[in-house]
Amino acid sequence: MPYLIPTRTPLTPEQVEQSFDYLLALQTGGGTYAAGRVEATPELAFTLLRLAEDIIWPVTAVDGEAADLCADSLALDEVGCVLLSALRDWARDSATTAVPGIARSIIRFVENVIPDPDDHGDTRATLEAMREEHLALAHAAHSAPSAHRVHPVRTKSGALGGRSSTDVRGVPA
C-alpha cells in the first residue's frame, strides 16, 4: 500500500531549526541531553514526522518510471511505507512520547542509509549538511512571493532537489 504524503506547505525555517536542534542534541548526548535543550511538544512530533517524510520517502520510494525495478526496489519501497506509517501512527496517538522515537528513527536511518558527505562516517556532519540543505529549501519556499509546495528529493547521488506536491509515482500528494 503506497504511503501518500498529504498536501502541505514546506517546513518553515524555524521548524527546520527546531527539528535539527533536537536531532543533533539527541545524537550528541542522548535523551536527557536533548530534553534539556529542546522541549518535546506535540508540534515538534509532527514537525519531526514531516522531516522524516522528507528524508526517508525520497530514498525508499520507487520511481514508477524507473526501468530497472527489481524485487529489492519494491521491498525497499514497502519498508519505507511501513516505517513512515508507524511513525505517523505514533505521532498521532502519543505526540510527546513520539518525539524521541521519531528522532531516533531519523538518526538511525541517516546513520545506516544516507552517505556521509565527507566520507568520515560522522552522522553529526551528515545531519548538519542536511540541516543546511533543508534550511535553504525552507527559506526559498517561504521567501518567494508566490510560495508554492516544494518537497525535498534526495537523488541517487545524495543531493537534495525539489519536487512538487506529487509523490514519486506521479500521484498527487
Side-chain angles (χ1 to χ4, degrees):
M1 175 150 114
Y3 181 86
L4 297 178
I5 297 173
T7 301
R8 61 196 168 120
T9 56
L11 293 174
T12 65
E14 295 78 20
Q15 290 171 319
V16 170
E17 287 284 356
Q18 183 186 33
S19 296
F20 277 99
D21 284 349
Y22 190 87
L23 288 172
L24 290 165
L26 185 65
Q27 196 269 336
T28 299
T32 305
Y33 184 79
R37 284 164 178 65
V38 180
E39 185 180 355
T41 63
E43 180 184 347
L44 181 57
F46 290 101
T47 302
L48 284 169
L49 175 62
R50 289 180 56 193
L51 185 62
E53 290 171 343
D54 291 346
I55 292 170
I56 296 168
W57 180 250
V59 175
T60 62
V62 170
D63 181 356
E65 298 175 16
D68 58 346
L69 290 179
C70 65
D72 289 345
S73 300
L74 298 174
L76 182 60
D77 178 76
E78 191 58 31
V79 167
C81 290
V82 168
L83 173 59
L84 290 171
S85 293
L87 295 177
R88 180 183 281 172
D89 290 347
W90 195 359
R92 182 193 63 230
D93 295 341
S94 182
T96 52
T97 62
V99 169
I102 294 170
R104 284 187 180 99
S105 296
I106 293 170
I107 291 167
R108 177 173 258 168
F109 187 85
V110 169
E111 283 176 351
N112 294 302
V113 179
I114 306 292
D116 174 15
D118 300 326
D119 285 333
H120 294 113
D122 182 9
T123 304
R124 182 173 186 82
T126 305
L127 288 170
E128 288 172 348
M130 292 174 84
R131 171 190 223 148
E132 295 307 314
E133 292 169 346
H134 282 83
L135 273 173
L137 287 169
H139 283 292
H142 290 280
S143 65
S146 62
H148 61 283
R149 291 177 186 87
V150 176
H151 303 285
V153 172
R154 189 163 299 278
T155 63
K156 289 185 193 255
S157 68
L160 276 178
R163 71 175 154 92
S164 66
S165 58
T166 303
D167 80 2
V168 293
R169 294 178 189 91
V171 176

